[in-house]
Amino acid sequence: MHGPGVGFHATLDPKRQAILRYARKAFVSDGYAATRIEPIAREAGVSTATLYALFEGKAQLFDAVIEDAAQDFARQMAGVGAIEGDARQQLISFGEAYADFMGDPFVRSVFRLVMAERPRFQAVARRFFDHGQVAFGATLIAILKAQSAAGALKPIDRPSRAAGHLMGMIEHPVFFVPLVTGDEIAVRRTNAEIVEDAVDTFLARYGA
């Protein structure tokens, strides 16, 4: 992931964006407890007073960092649902975008950060993951419904479950395996190979 956010109006204030950028790096590398406000302000090129004028404190800054990162879900998927082509081409395009996003080390860093702070920021964590499900799941479900209506896929009674099948086959090797084994252990297959295998398996079950 390249930065989280949820369904809030984004601001283009350059000072705010700089603060969020350096705060994100600090929270990911140091964790919530060890992160200090003053170094973030210094790195962002603003005064501590300016930072506190934009964010009441570290908790609010952390909340804003996660919100900003979640916005990347929607940005990463923008345009994927509009890709033209047959069912396989659309699913491959979706799968490659999903794999690239979920395979990004920053996404895993944010996941670890949110999980570590979930007891302290339960609502923030819930919004973060709910937004991800909507951004990716809704895009894929729309593709499945359209291709099913066109006769390219079998009638799908539960498109959300079918979407989960495809996303699960992709996210397991590109996200969960590195999450558990460590980022330094490379997955043997490329993202393209993983996606192609997942889509072919999916079409073997759902293809018309």
Side-chain angles (χ1 to χ4, degrees):
M1 224 161 208
H2 312 317
V6 180
F8 295 87
H9 295 294
T11 176
L12 297 179
D13 180 348
K15 290 182 180 180
R16 186 178 190 276
Q17 292 306 112
I19 292 169
L20 290 177
R21 182 168 62 253
Y22 287 104
R24 183 183 308 141
K25 291 171 58 179
F27 283 128
V28 167
S29 62
D30 301 334
Y32 179 85
T35 293
R36 296 172 55 243
I37 292 293
E38 292 76 12
I40 293 173
R42 186 166 55 250
E43 290 287 342
V46 302
S47 67
T48 304
T50 296
L51 189 151
Y52 279 115
L54 294 170
F55 306 97
E56 294 181 8
K58 187 163 70 169
Q60 289 73 25
L61 180 57
F62 178 79
D63 192 328
V65 164
I66 299 304
E67 295 292 342
D68 181 62
Q71 291 291 348
D72 269 357
F73 280 126
R75 288 193 288 268
Q76 289 286 327
M77 298 312 297
V80 171
I83 292 174
E84 297 182 358
D86 60 22
R88 190 173 190 278
Q89 289 172 324
Q90 284 199 325
L91 294 175
I92 288 288
S93 295
F94 170 88
E96 289 177 345
Y98 188 57
D100 288 346
F101 183 78
M102 295 301 289
D104 190 322
F106 181 71
V107 173
R108 292 192 291 275
S109 296
V110 170
F111 182 87
R112 294 186 183 105
L113 181 61
V114 170
M115 292 305 296
E117 299 300 333
R118 186 175 57 179
R120 191 196 309 253
F121 296 101
Q122 184 73 39
V124 176
R126 172 55 58 188
R127 291 199 306 272
F128 178 76
F129 291 113
D130 285 350
H131 187 75
Q133 289 178 339
V134 170
F136 288 111
T139 297
L140 180 54
I141 287 171
I143 292 173
L144 297 182
K145 287 181 176 179
Q147 291 294 343
S148 181
L153 299 176
K154 296 175 182 177
I156 300 176
D157 294 331
R158 300 187 63 179
S160 60
R161 175 178 292 181
H165 290 165
L166 179 58
M167 293 169 72
M169 286 189 286
I170 295 170
E171 68 191 27
H172 178 75
V174 304
F175 177 76
F176 286 109
V177 170
L179 185 71
V180 173
T181 60
D183 293 337
E184 66 278 0
I185 298 179
V187 178
R188 294 181 180 178
R189 294 182 295 164
T190 65
N191 282 1
E193 291 171 333
I194 290 169
V195 170
E196 186 171 0
D197 287 347
V199 169
D200 287 343
T201 301
F202 181 87
L203 289 175
R205 175 172 181 178
Y206 293 100

